[in-house]
Amino acid sequence: QQHGFARNVNWTCADWREEAAGGSRGFSFTRDTARAVYELYDTKYTYDMWPNKFLSRYSVDLSAGMLTLDFRVKNLGTRAFDFTGALHTYYAVRDIDTIEIRGDFKGKKYLDKVSGETKTEERETLTVQEFTDSVYYGMDGDVELIDGERSVLISPVNGWKDLVIWNPYGEEKMGYKNFVCIENACVEPQAVKGGEWWDSAVEIRPYCNDAPAFLEAMEE
């Protein structure tokens, strides 16, 4: 499977909660949080494709100013295994033709999956003007998506080493005009010893006119 099996199977909701500020039932824009935790264990279906015993845990933490995506993999067996992975994070945009993606792109090697060639990026700021499917190696720093006065800061905290940019430009039926996929990834296999965890996290912060987006909601 091109994207692996984890996206095609059912996960179990292991925990969810909403926490008010300081235990209060009152609402606080800055301190109220919500959390959901999903788990995936190996099954006969997964074992037939990938013969390893594992636990994957995906936690989503939402607060007024930040969304945190925590993805962990535990090796439940005794022998080491390796795996690759990515977060298929899609961001809504007003117009794909006007967005910018800023980050430490210049000089980075990337695989252009459209042409099949490995290239060196010459741009500091990316735009999307054609069908795009690019895998950037060694992109473990902050990336900023600019959409007019709105922006999103994407910060890999640990684990993720690479970055994928994808948009099916020109595919009207896929709604290419109003989204871009910016996904943190590990293209090279990650080794996990028996009984150990592999950890990763991404923090996503929305802004409007360079201020945290929740401040505009408070004003409304």
Side-chain angles (χ1 to χ4, degrees):
Q1 301 184 41
Q2 180 180 356
H3 297 298
F5 59 77
R7 63 181 288 172
N8 298 324
V9 295
N10 293 325
W11 292 58
T12 299
C13 184
D15 187 25
W16 69 272
R17 67 190 67 177
E18 296 179 358
E19 298 177 354
S24 168
R25 293 186 179 181
F27 185 77
S28 166
F29 271 104
T30 57
R31 296 175 59 192
D32 281 6
T33 63
R35 187 179 204 221
V37 180
Y38 299 91
E39 292 183 341
L40 175 66
Y41 285 88
D42 58 279
T43 64
K44 183 182 183 304
Y45 174 75
T46 67
Y47 204 86
D48 287 343
M49 293 181 288
W50 190 59
N52 294 288
K53 297 183 69 61
F54 69 92
L55 163 62
S56 292
R57 181 173 293 151
Y58 183 50
S59 302
V60 181
D61 289 273
L62 177 63
S63 65
M66 183 168 64
L67 176 68
T68 302
L69 307 177
D70 184 277
F71 181 67
R72 309 178 71 198
V73 177
K74 185 176 184 179
N75 185 340
L76 298 180
T78 57
R79 60 183 178 85
F81 63 60
D82 55 44
F83 74 97
T84 59
L87 294 178
H88 288 260
T89 37
Y90 290 69
Y91 297 89
V93 300
R94 291 167 176 162
D95 186 344
I96 192 67
D97 290 308
T98 62
I99 68 162
E100 294 182 350
I101 305 171
R102 300 175 184 173
D104 187 23
F105 290 101
K106 190 172 184 179
K108 288 289 193 297
K109 295 289 185 182
Y110 71 98
L111 172 62
D112 182 344
K113 295 180 72 174
V114 178
S115 68
E117 299 175 317
T118 298
K119 303 176 181 178
T120 300
E121 184 58 75
E122 299 179 352
R123 301 170 294 173
E124 293 181 355
T125 299
L126 307 186
T127 57
V128 179
Q129 306 293 327
E130 60 185 356
F131 195 105
T132 300
D133 192 357
S134 300
V135 180
Y136 288 85
Y137 305 110
M139 279 294 298
D140 57 357
D142 290 356
V143 171
E144 188 175 19
L145 170 62
I146 307 296
D147 183 18
E149 76 280 7
R150 305 185 304 183
S151 64
V152 176
L153 183 64
I154 306 163
S155 303
V157 179
N158 61 282
W160 303 113
K161 306 296 184 185
D162 310 302
L163 192 75
V164 178
I165 308 293
W166 180 76
N167 176 268
Y169 195 91
E171 298 288 343
E172 297 284 355
K173 292 183 179 180
M174 298 184 71
Y176 81 96
K177 201 78 167 169
N178 299 117
F179 79 89
V180 63
C181 183
I182 304 174
E183 53 183 298
N184 298 93
C186 280
V187 177
E188 295 298 322
Q190 303 296 297
V192 187
K193 295 180 180 178
E196 294 189 358
W197 286 93
W198 180 86
D199 300 314
S200 71
V202 177
E203 296 176 348
I204 301 170
R205 297 177 176 86
Y207 292 87
C208 185
N209 293 316
D210 298 323
F214 73 87
L215 293 177
E216 179 175 296
M218 291 177 67
E219 292 175 357
E220 293 177 354

